[in-house]
Amino acid sequence: KQWYQRRVAITAGGASGTIVHSTLVGHSCWVAGVKWGSSDVELVSASYDNRTLLWDIRSPKTYLSVVGTHSDKVLCVDWSAADNTVASGGADNTIHINKL
């Protein structure tokens, strides 16, 4: 099976009023969800490639780390700024909770 590289394209207004536009490349399959962290520069993404990735949009050429992996597609992701925890739900019928 051939996989095509998938991208996370971001266009958003930051708290400072600036417009941010960036394309983040790193997933190998469809991106199912994106959630901003407590800052205007970090986010997590969930993908059908079974991974949840942490990004810093100031360095869009690669992701910072793999937050977690599922044994099937990752369908959703959320980031709790209160305790810096990322939760993801997958087609493998599991919820993963990872501390950053």
Side-chain angles (χ1 to χ4, degrees):
K1 189 171 188 177
Q2 183 176 4
W3 292 99
Y4 295 94
Q5 193 169 38
R6 303 298 181 197
R7 297 177 177 162
V8 177
I10 303 297
T11 302
S16 62
T18 59
I19 300 296
V20 176
H21 176 77
S22 189
T23 301
L24 311 175
V25 179
H27 283 294
S28 61
C29 205
W30 298 107
V31 174
V34 174
K35 181 68 177 180
W36 286 100
S38 58
S39 70
D40 286 344
V41 297
E42 290 182 325
L43 57 90
V44 290
S45 59
S47 173
Y48 279 27
D49 66 4
N50 307 355
R51 300 182 304 160
T52 304
L53 301 181
L54 175 65
W55 303 87
D56 184 324
I57 62 169
R58 297 170 295 186
S59 304
K61 293 185 181 193
T62 188
Y63 52 89
L64 295 176
S65 66
V66 176
V67 176
T69 59
H70 285 259
S71 61
D72 203 347
K73 303 175 199 92
V74 184
L75 304 173
C76 60
V77 65
D78 202 356
W79 189 340
S80 170
D83 59 359
N84 215 23
T85 301
V86 172
S88 60
D92 58 1
N93 300 318
T94 64
I95 297 170
H96 292 195
I97 299 173
N98 299 89
K99 187 88 169 159
L100 294 180

